[in-house]
């Protein structure tokens, strides 16, 4: 193809965006989170990451089998392979240690900051200075909330929210520079500490998953030439496949650090986070979470000696229910079935309302950082008013007799908060509101306390937490959904247990556990991982059959209404997530139906000016390489060359004046195989880095050494459903479509992630919408 051919395509490309985009990854923008702008380039791809709109691209898990790769693989010795294996396990160890330390530091900071705030409020209330107590309580919350929102809005907007949808999308093959950037890691830690300490109805568990993934990404960058940290061994990890495995380990470590649930962390990564799994990865994630568990146990043992300030019984949540005997009858099973149905209905409603609220918040967030901070501060003030004001509606209750613990509780945590009550009495609603979220869960889960909380108290607390959890998620602070969902579920679970205490054998604390499980199943639609996490949290293995039953029922009921909360958020943000199954209407189409043209391809030995022109003109990340006579008897597909490899090759200026093949040896004289490895975030050669002179534009370059000679291909008549499953299962970025009949050009087009998105397919074939 010569320069004139490329010039003639300029007009065509505007009409056939699907055939040209960065692997045609034009991501359809979904209203109202992403508003389509008329001036937008058709080759751009953007999505909402955290609370920020940013460009995204597709990851490539395929092995690029070009001549350089083959030569490098043949030259590797056994000692290098051994080094690679050892480094995999070393990085897994470092991920576990780093995530465990961050998790401990988060809890240490939250317990001390929130503890100081609650102690100050409690002391003022004991002196009957109630208005000043509210001022101190709300003021501390406002300062912490504003600090969390400011660092998130101005430094790393991608750190807002849970981060689990972004990590899940990354492990599915969707990348954005800001998802796992070091600035995102910093803001995720600081913002999570400030947000949880500010008394928001949110958790630090979701952000810990994102934090673990960021730590893994940072360790797996493969070194830095800028800072001269290019240890030879780290070069092995300059590819998307190894980084994907490390980030999977990081996500599992985040759950293990948040819940002290190592097995639950592995199952979370398997069930919810990872799109590709294999036995070798199972071993490494299990090792990583084991490291986290051992480290946390050691640090907590140290803190129990009073060496960590207010950090002690609280913090890393562990609700030991093993002392409560779980004996149940047929009547209990019927109640549990009802709990599962309630959890499914409430979970489906929660996801529906959250979807609507997030869409409203997106309009506010688009106005800029000041509006993000203003929204966060407003929600903080509302939360403070509810937490301090609602307990005034509760009546004082006499302390139970023969208690082992102090009643009323004077201080930060405990089941029996004094609030405004006289000596010997406690305020049960204050015991839930004026505590950290972890302590509130502990109070709800406590066994042998069936009459501790009134029905009216549990009802008010449930309504408040359900509502505050909805309006809090979506503000510009790192926020998790696990804790609000557990709190709300435990509230109505305990409510049911209290109402049916006369006919049920189960303790009210166990009903709270089952209520939390039902709401988790109804919102997040996870079963195995949530079941194991809850059992590890409560140390109550006899409850396994009941937790399994309630999770299965709640998930089944909620699935009839909508998708899981993380799947909804992924779709809302515009992240092009590929499901494990193909849509039914795809069986009515073939691969050739969704491929658009014309297609830009290169000759095996191409003019430099043509390559430069194509790179400037398009946003493609992959180009077919076609050999033509006299280098072949007939036009034939040689393979696929990546944009990043072309940029490295052009920067090295390995040009020729004549159109002759040079072979791999000439390239190896100027380059090493690792020069073509994927660079870290924000690194690598860019088009503007090239300095090609006018006379060099007429020279030639041999593309054969860097061309992937064995790309995955499908015939144009293959079912689009089969092509989609193949694309997803292999983790591809490009899938070449070849003609079925001879005598035609050797390649019809390239399928990419965008071509399988429902918005694109149904945009081409609207009549298929009725077959969804």
């Amino acid at each position: 193809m010569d320069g004139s051919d490329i010039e003639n395509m300029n007009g065509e490309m505007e009409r056939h965006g699907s055939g040209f985009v960065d692997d045609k990854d034009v991501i359809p923008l979904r209203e109202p989170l992403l508003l389509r702008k008329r001036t937008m380039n058709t080759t751009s791809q953007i999505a909402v990451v955290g609370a920020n709109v940013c460009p995204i691209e597709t990851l490539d898990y395929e092995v690029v089998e070009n001549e350089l790769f083959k030569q490098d693989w043949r030259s590797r010795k056994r000692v290098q392979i051994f080094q690679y294996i050892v480094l995999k396990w070393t990085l897994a160890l470092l991920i576990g240690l780093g995530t465990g330390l961050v998790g401990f530091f988060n809890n240490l900071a939250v317990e001390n900051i929130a503890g100081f705030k609650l102690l100050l409020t409690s002391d003022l209330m004991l002196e009957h200075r109630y208005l000043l107590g509210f001022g101190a309580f709300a003021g501390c919350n406002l300062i912490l909330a504003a600090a969390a929102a400011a660092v998130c809005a101005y430094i790393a907007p991608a750190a807002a929210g849970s981060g689990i949808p972004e990590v899940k999308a990354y492990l599915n093959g969707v990348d954005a520079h800001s998802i796992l950037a070091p600035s995102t890691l910093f803001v995720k830690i600081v913002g999570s500490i400030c947000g949880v300490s500010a008394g928001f109805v949110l958790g630090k568990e979701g952000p810990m998953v994102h934090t673990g993934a960021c730590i893994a990404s940072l360790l797996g960058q493969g070194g830095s030439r800028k800072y001269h940290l290019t240890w030879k061994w780290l070069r092995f990890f300059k590819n998307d496949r190894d980084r994907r495995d490390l980030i999977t380990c990081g996500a599992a470590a985040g759950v293990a650090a948040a819940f002290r649930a190592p097995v639950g962390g592995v199952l979370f990564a398997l069930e919810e986070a990872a799109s590709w799994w294999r036995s070798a990865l199972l071993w490494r994630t299990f090792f990583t979470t084991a490291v986290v568990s051992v480290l946390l146990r050691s640090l907590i043992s140290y803190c129990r000696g009073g060496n960590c300030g207010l950090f002690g019984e609280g913090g890393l949540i562990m609700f030991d229910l093993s002392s409560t005997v779980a004996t149940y009858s047929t009547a209990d099973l019927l109640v549990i079935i009802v709990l599962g149905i309630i959890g499914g209905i409430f979970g489906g409603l929660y996801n529906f309302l959250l979807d609507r609220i997030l869409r409203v918040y997106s309009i506010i967030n688009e106005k800029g950082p000041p509006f993000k901070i203003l929204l966060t501060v407003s929600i903080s003030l509302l939360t403070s008013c509810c937490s301090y004001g609602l307990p005034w509606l509760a009546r004082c209750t006499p302390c139970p007799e023969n208690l082992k613990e102090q009643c009323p509780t004077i201080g930060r945590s405990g089941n029996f908060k004094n609030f405004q009550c006289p000596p010997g009495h406690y305020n049960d609603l204050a015991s839930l509101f004026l505590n950290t979220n972890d302590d509130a869960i502990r109070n709800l889960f406590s066994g042998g306390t069936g009459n501790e909380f009134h029905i009216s108290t549990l009802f008010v607390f449930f309504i408040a937490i359900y509502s505050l959890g909805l309006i809090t998620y979506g503000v510009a602070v790192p926020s998790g959904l696990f804790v609000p969902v557990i709190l709300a579920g435990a509230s109505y679970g305990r409510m049911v247990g209290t109402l049916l205490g006369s006919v049920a054998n189960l303790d009210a604390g166990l009903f709270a556990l089952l209520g939390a499980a039902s709401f988790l199943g109804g919102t997040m639609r996870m079963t195995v991982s949530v079941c194991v996490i809850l059992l590890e949290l409560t140390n109550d293995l006899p409850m396994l059959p009941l937790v399994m039953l309630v999770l299965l029922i709640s998930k089944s009921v909620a699935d009839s209404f909508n998708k899981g909360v993380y799947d909804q958020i992924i779709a809302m943000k515009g992240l092009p997530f590929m499901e494990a199954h193909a849509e039914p209407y795809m069986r009515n189409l073939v691969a050739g139906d969704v491929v658009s043209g014309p297609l830009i391809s290169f000759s095996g030995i191409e003019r430099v000016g043509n390559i430069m022109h194509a790179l400037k003109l398009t946003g493609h990340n992959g180009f077919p390489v076609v050999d033509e006579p006299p280098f072949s008897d007939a036009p034939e597909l040689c393979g696929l060359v990546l944009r990043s490899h072309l940029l490295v090759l052009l920067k090295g200026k390995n040009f020729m004046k004549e159109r002759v093949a040079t072979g791999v040896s000439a390239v190896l004289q100027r380059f090493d195989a690792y020069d073509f490895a994927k660079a870290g975030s924000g690194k690598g050669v860019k088009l503007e880095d090239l300095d090609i002179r006018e006379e060099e534009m007429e020279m030639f370059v041999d593309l054969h050494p860097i061309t992937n000679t064995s790309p995955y291909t499908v015939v144009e008549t293959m079912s689009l459903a089969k092509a989609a499953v193949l694309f997803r299962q292999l983790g591809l970025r490009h899938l070449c479509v070849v003609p079925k009949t001879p005598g035609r050009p050797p390649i019809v087009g390239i399928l990419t992630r965008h071509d399988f998105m429902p918005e694109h397919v149904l945009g081409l074939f609207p009549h298929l919408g009725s077959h969804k």
Side-chain angles (χ1 to χ4, degrees), residues 660-672:
V660 294
T662 59
V664 69
S665 57
V667 176
L668 285 173
Q669 291 176 4
R670 285 178 174 263
F671 302 98
D672 185 82

Side-chain angles (χ1 to χ4, degrees), residues 400-636:
E401 298 180 359
N402 303 320
L403 275 179
K404 294 182 180 179
E405 60 182 295
Q406 183 182 12
C407 179
T409 303
I410 306 298
R412 177 183 58 90
S413 61
N415 282 29
F416 307 100
K417 283 284 186 179
N418 177 261
F419 203 61
Q420 89 289 11
C421 295
H425 292 71
Y426 72 96
N427 186 312
D428 55 354
L429 196 51
S431 301
L432 297 175
F433 273 118
L434 292 181
N435 255 329
T436 61
N437 291 333
D438 293 349
D439 282 331
I441 296 173
R442 187 174 289 103
N443 293 346
L444 289 169
F445 279 6
S446 59
T449 55
N451 298 319
E452 180 183 332
F453 299 103
H454 295 289
I455 293 292
S456 58
T457 293
L458 294 171
F459 179 76
V460 170
F461 186 72
F462 167 69
I463 296 298
I465 292 299
Y466 194 93
S467 304
L468 289 173
L470 281 169
I471 63 174
T472 302
Y473 191 86
V475 299
V477 296
S479 52
L481 283 170
F482 273 98
V483 164
V485 169
I486 291 175
L487 274 172
S491 301
Y492 72 70
R494 193 175 183 99
M495 200 188 314
V496 171
T498 304
L499 283 171
L500 303 176
S502 57
V503 297
N505 295 325
L506 286 177
D507 185 85
L510 297 181
F511 272 112
L513 169 65
L514 293 171
S518 70
F519 201 18
L520 283 168
T523 53
M524 301 182 182
R525 316 295 162 84
M526 294 182 285
T527 52
V528 180
S529 56
V530 166
C531 180
V532 173
I533 287 171
L534 288 175
L535 293 178
E536 288 185 285
L537 271 177
T538 57
N539 194 26
D540 194 6
L541 191 59
M543 288 293 290
L544 175 62
L546 300 185
V547 175
M548 291 172 65
L549 177 63
V550 79
L551 279 169
L552 289 170
I553 293 172
S554 63
K555 182 185 184 306
S556 301
V557 171
D559 278 340
S560 63
F561 297 113
N562 45 39
K563 289 185 176 182
V565 63
Y566 296 132
D567 293 326
Q568 280 193 178
I569 294 172
I570 286 173
M572 216 186 319
K573 287 174 175 288
L575 295 165
F577 189 87
M578 287 202 70
E579 300 289 351
H581 60 276
E583 297 290 344
Y585 58 80
M586 288 186 177
R587 302 193 182 281
N588 299 320
L589 299 171
V590 295
D593 289 336
V594 296
V595 172
S596 303
L599 183 72
I600 292 184
S601 62
F602 294 131
S603 299
I605 302 171
E606 186 59 86
R607 182 178 281 108
V608 173
N610 286 352
I611 299 175
M612 287 294 295
H613 201 95
L615 293 178
K616 289 178 181 178
L617 198 62
T618 73
H620 297 82
N621 274 305
F623 299 88
V625 177
V626 177
D627 272 339
E628 298 176 343
F631 299 100
S632 62
D633 295 333
E636 62 179 24

Side-chain angles (χ1 to χ4, degrees), residues 35-52:
L35 301 177
R36 185 180 294 274
K37 298 183 175 68
R38 292 183 180 179
T39 57
M40 187 179 300
N41 189 328
T42 56
T43 63
S44 65
Q45 328 108 44
I46 60 173
V48 179
V49 177
N52 191 35

Side-chain angles (χ1 to χ4, degrees), residues 9 74 134 174 277 357-358 375 530 587 607 744 752:
M9 286 184 182
R74 285 192 293 264
F134 172 72
V174 180
W277 196 263
I357 290 170
L358 289 177
L375 175 63
V530 166
R587 302 193 182 281
R607 182 178 281 108
R744 295 167 56 192
T752 62

